[in-house]
Amino acid sequence: MNPFLDLGIRHEVVNAITEMGFEKPSPIQEKAIPVLLTGNDDFVGLAQTGTGKTAAFGLPLLELIDFTQKHPQALVLCPTRELCLQIAKDLEKYAKHVDNVHVVAVYGGANISDQLRQIRRGVQIVVATPGRMLDIIGRKAIDFSNVKYVVLDEADEMLNMGFQEDINNILSETPDTKKTWLFSATMPKEVRRIAQNYMTDPHELTVGTKNTGNVNIEHQYYVVKARDKYAAFKRIVDYYPEIFGIVFCRTKIETQEIAEALVRDGYNADSLHGDLSQQQRDKVMKRYRDRSLQLLIATDVAARGIDVNDVTHVINFSLPDEVENYTHRSGRTARAGKTGVSLSLINVKELGKIRRIEKIIGKQFEKKQVPEASEVVEKQLLAMTDKIRNVDINEERIAPYLPSIMESMQDLSKEDIIKRFASLEFNRFLDYYQNAPDLNVDARERDGDREERGDRRSRTASKGYTRLFINLGSVDEFSRGDMLGLICDAANISGKSVGKIDMKGVFTFFEVQDADVNKVFEGFQGTEYNGRAVRVEVSGEESRGGGRSRGGDSGGRRRDRKSGGSGSSYRGDRRDSGSFRGERKRAASRSKY
Ligand code: AMP
């Protein structure tokens, strides 16, 4: 038997919600429906958005209301127009197979005459935002004398938005005998006070944690210059290879432009906005749901009611004009108990808006740095190696081709093959990120200062040291000790001259005493490691795109030296010293380094 039938919901409604994909009640529904169905109690439910609370109060309402009558019997108050429309739409969907159900959505910013006309025609359930509701009450256009149930949905949000007095005034228009059902994600004392003032011994239920917003959402922001926004956005997306995201823009045009640019740049993206026909919308949504699309670029209006599970990131490419819309955007992730990230790309002037949002959601944002190019490259490489490692192998079907594949690869070592596979997908990526600048506003400003002083050293170099970049890293199977040995041998300097070594996947940053910097450049000049020209640069130059190794060296010259096959002091020392262990030693002896 269907568990909703067990709970006491009628067949027609169960059929409708089954069509909507509800198989079994969510925790809040399981707990709240039996209590609310009695129609005897006031009720307080602590539940976050995305927990299924609309059905938790909506399904009991459909059982309790007398639909042969055409006067308002239930009033649902909620904070925003979007939520108002969504609740009304959901109720209509649940009631699809029930006759004579009339729901009206009453909200600001829309033509009031249409709403008044619907009320005059007769409605049983009014879903409203407080301001417009008061307006209609003020016009004496609605009779609440038969209201039996008032639902205060997202009560904390309504109070945050300053609707306390409006709510008081609206409630005073409803009969004392009504039952009040309050839903809130958090329970600040103002909400508690409503419960005390308007309810009698309410039945209280909690789903999830008390006094927090959706704890599963991490809120983050990145400060970037307007002109760098798109590049920063792409870099963040690249940093999360498994991203399945919704990207919010402010306007239809922005939505379309971003989607087009992303597609042009090889991303799996499409847009959803108000100019699309219903058919086009459905098509985009189907692709997104099926995960044929990785990024859905949407306006607030178009994204209303999107309920796709497993969205990993909500990206606010532009912050919403109305701060409260942020909650609705971020609520598209971390649904059904999952975790998710809501990140915003902002300029310095928008920090105030972030602070206002923090107040509304009751949570702090984490300031994040746009990942460095090397970090993105590393993440992508690791994702790809994971993919290779986990690929399903159809032994039977690949078998006939294996002998010729093996033959064509026989002169390549395992390492060579791995590198070639990686490069196949990666060369474009490496090229793209080769000269990629730091996109963080603060970093850029600091770099700018330094340039003015003619000082090209990295901001993080310790005093008396220069921070250098080398295009060898942990993927080359170097440990930090190996790297230290390599540098000392190549430059013929003592270990004491080398400061911090910051190994990345395909790069390493290391500090060298200012006096020894040229020795390092000279030592590495024209050398290669496993067939790859070794590149050493002052950190910061490599990221600015113009600079190459110091000392007048050029890529061309390095290649010349390489083909000439000349050794370096490092090479001989390294082999003889035997400080490389195991595989490392063999790799070193096969190549120049
Ligand atoms: P809400 O918290 O009411 O906004 O609901 C969040 C999402 O979960 C909506 O898209 C609902 O359609 C969906 N939902 C609610 N209850 C269930 C259920 N029992 N089974 C599956 N989906 C549900």
Side-chain angles (χ1 to χ4, degrees):
M1 173 134 147
N2 184 297
F4 285 102
L5 286 175
D6 276 345
L7 283 176
I9 306 299
R10 72 177 94 171
H11 271 287
E12 292 89 336
V13 174
V14 172
N15 287 345
I17 59 176
T18 305
E19 286 162 26
M20 292 169 70
F22 293 19
E23 285 171 10
K24 58 177 174 40
S26 69
I28 182 86
Q29 290 161 4
E30 201 163 25
K31 288 183 181 173
I33 290 174
V35 178
L36 299 180
L37 266 184
T38 67
N40 295 331
D41 284 321
D42 284 334
F43 175 89
V44 172
L46 271 175
Q48 290 137 15
T49 45
T51 51
K53 60 190 169 53
T54 314
F57 65 78
L59 301 183
L61 283 183
L62 294 181
E63 297 302 320
L64 293 166
I65 287 171
D66 178 0
F67 290 108
T68 61
Q69 304 296 317
K70 279 184 114 182
H71 48 245
Q73 294 164 58
L75 166 66
V76 181
L77 287 178
C78 61
T80 63
R81 153 201 172 110
E82 285 75 23
L83 190 57
C84 177
L85 277 161
Q86 180 159 354
I87 293 172
K89 210 169 72 200
D90 282 355
L91 292 174
E92 278 167 355
K93 279 200 220 159
Y94 309 152
K96 190 173 153 198
H97 304 304
V98 183
D99 292 336
N100 301 318
V101 176
H102 298 284
V103 181
V104 65
V106 164
Y107 51 90
N111 190 335
I112 197 166
S113 342
D114 288 346
Q115 297 173 357
L116 291 171
R117 200 171 312 121
Q118 286 185 65
I119 293 169
R120 272 198 301 275
R121 255 191 255 145
V123 295
Q124 296 102 357
I125 307 179
V126 179
V127 186
T129 52
R132 178 56 64 91
M133 192 69 260
L134 262 188
D135 190 347
I136 289 176
I137 291 173
R139 291 166 188 242
K140 306 225 177 301
I142 199 157
D143 172 14
F144 277 155
S145 60
N146 288 302
V147 164
K148 295 197 177 65
Y149 307 98
V150 172
V151 181
L152 302 175
D153 193 19
E154 304 206 347
D156 49 353
E157 293 285 304
M158 287 200 280
L159 297 186
N160 274 333
M161 289 165 69
F163 287 136
Q164 169 84 66
E165 211 180 311
D166 290 358
I167 293 172
N168 293 348
N169 291 334
I170 295 167
L171 288 177
S172 68
E173 291 292 314
T174 58
D176 291 344
T177 50
K178 66 166 183 293
K179 298 299 167 207
T180 305
W181 304 345
L182 180 150
F183 288 83
S184 192
T186 60
M187 191 46 108
K189 55 181 185 307
E190 294 80 4
V191 176
R192 176 70 56 205
R193 207 171 298 135
I194 290 199
Q196 278 157 1
N197 292 349
Y198 294 101
M199 297 184 189
T200 321
D201 196 16
H203 193 106
E204 220 174 281
L205 274 184
T206 302
V207 175
T209 331
K210 269 193 186 182
N211 277 331
T212 50
N214 186 340
V215 286
N216 295 330
I217 304 177
E218 271 180 51
H219 301 271
Q220 307 173 342
Y221 69 91
Y222 296 78
V223 186
V224 293
K225 291 238 161 73
R227 66 167 181 271
D228 293 332
K229 205 167 176 181
Y230 179 65
F233 164 61
K234 279 200 304 182
R235 198 176 290 184
I236 294 163
V237 168
D238 287 343
Y239 188 69
Y240 296 106
E242 301 303 327
I243 196 166
F244 180 54
I246 302 183
V247 182
F248 281 95
C249 297
R250 212 170 327 194
T251 62
K252 278 178 233 172
I253 292 176
E254 191 180 52
T255 307
Q256 222 159 0
E257 280 174 358
I258 300 292
E260 276 166 19
L262 283 171
V263 170
R264 215 173 33 236
D265 291 341
Y267 292 82
N268 196 352
D270 206 343
S271 61
L272 193 69
H273 56 75
D275 283 353
L276 301 182
S277 67
Q278 189 58 40
Q279 205 181 7
Q280 289 169 315
R281 269 183 69 106
D282 291 348
K283 215 162 133 194
V284 174
M285 278 313 295
K286 180 168 182 334
R287 287 176 62 215
Y288 188 59
R289 261 183 237 287
D290 294 348
R291 289 178 163 253
S292 326
L293 268 188
Q294 203 174 8
L295 296 169
L296 180 70
I297 325 296
T299 55
D300 286 289
V301 177
R304 208 183 279 156
I306 290 180
D307 55 342
V308 176
N309 283 336
D310 300 326
V311 171
T312 59
H313 289 74
V314 164
I315 299 177
N316 297 287
F317 189 83
S318 301
L319 282 176
D321 284 331
E322 292 175 40
V323 171
E324 62 272 19
N325 273 346
Y326 179 86
T327 327
H328 299 287
R329 289 181 174 191
S330 57
R332 304 284 140 225
T333 185
R335 296 173 86 76
K338 305 267 171 49
T339 56
V341 174
S342 172
L343 63 87
S344 304
L345 291 161
I346 64 163
N347 61 47
V348 203
K349 288 190 210 129
E350 289 176 305
L351 267 170
K353 214 166 181 176
I354 293 288
R355 301 290 165 244
R356 284 204 296 285
I357 296 172
E358 284 181 332
K359 285 211 184 95
I360 286 187
I361 63 171
K363 278 188 92 173
Q364 282 204 324
F365 275 65
E366 184 188 354
K367 180 174 187 231
K368 299 282 283 186
Q369 295 284 310
V370 180
E372 283 179 31
S374 60
E375 293 171 307
V376 176
V377 170
E378 180 171 6
K379 268 284 197 104
Q380 287 281 342
L381 268 170
L382 290 177
M384 195 189 57
T385 50
D386 267 359
K387 217 152 119 187
I388 293 177
R389 186 176 277 282
N390 296 324
V391 70
D392 282 334
I393 298 174
N394 187 327
E395 300 284 355
E396 214 175 302
R397 294 183 67 182
I398 193 98
Y401 307 101
L402 274 181
S404 44
I405 297 174
M406 293 296 185
E407 195 187 333
S408 76
M409 301 261 183
Q410 68 182 355
D411 57 327
L412 297 175
S413 68
K414 173 183 160 194
E415 205 174 347
D416 286 336
I417 293 174
I418 291 175
K419 271 192 291 184
R420 279 171 168 75
F421 263 103
S423 302
L424 209 60
E425 226 177 82
F426 243 73
N427 282 346
R428 182 187 66 87
F429 216 77
L430 288 170
D431 283 348
Y432 178 76
Y433 275 112
Q434 189 176 18
N435 297 321
D438 186 339
L439 298 177
N440 295 289
V441 160
D442 43 2
R444 298 199 105 190
E445 280 162 3
R446 280 202 301 267
D447 283 355
D449 290 350
R450 235 173 287 125
E451 268 175 29
E452 268 169 36
R453 294 199 307 268
D455 178 356
R456 299 294 299 263
R457 272 173 301 181
S458 157
R459 64 184 182 274
T460 50
S462 312
K463 197 161 185 289
Y465 284 81
T466 299
R467 192 169 188 245
L468 299 178
F469 157 97
I470 186 166
N471 63 338
L472 300 175
S474 49
V475 294
D476 299 293
E477 297 177 20
F478 277 99
S479 69
R480 271 228 278 282
D482 292 337
M483 184 56 77
L484 178 64
L486 177 81
I487 296 163
C488 293
D489 287 345
N492 203 14
I493 54 176
S494 123
K496 281 188 208 141
S497 180
V498 181
K500 273 184 238 153
I501 297 180
D502 183 11
M503 303 265 303
K504 305 279 181 189
V506 288
F507 308 107
T508 299
F509 293 109
F510 63 97
E511 292 178 352
V512 169
Q513 280 182 359
D514 291 344
D516 287 333
V517 171
N518 280 335
K519 285 191 195 162
V520 176
F521 283 123
E522 280 156 20
F524 279 107
Q525 209 168 29
T527 56
E528 67 177 74
Y529 178 80
N530 279 349
R532 194 160 102 227
V534 175
R535 200 154 53 87
V536 178
E537 294 161 359
V538 175
S539 160
E541 286 183 356
E542 96 282 355
S543 67
R544 223 174 303 275
R548 286 283 169 195
S549 305
R550 273 201 330 211
D553 190 17
S554 74
R557 266 177 60 194
R558 277 204 299 271
R559 268 190 289 282
D560 290 343
R561 287 276 307 269
K562 179 182 84 182
S563 54
S566 67
S568 73
S569 61
Y570 161 69
R571 184 186 176 198
D573 294 347
R574 185 101 223 112
R575 265 207 312 250
D576 295 342
S577 69
S579 57
F580 269 140
R581 275 160 280 117
E583 275 299 305
R584 240 341 322 108
K585 185 169 174 182
R586 282 198 297 282
S589 59
R590 247 201 324 273
S591 60
K592 257 186 170 180
Y593 285 154

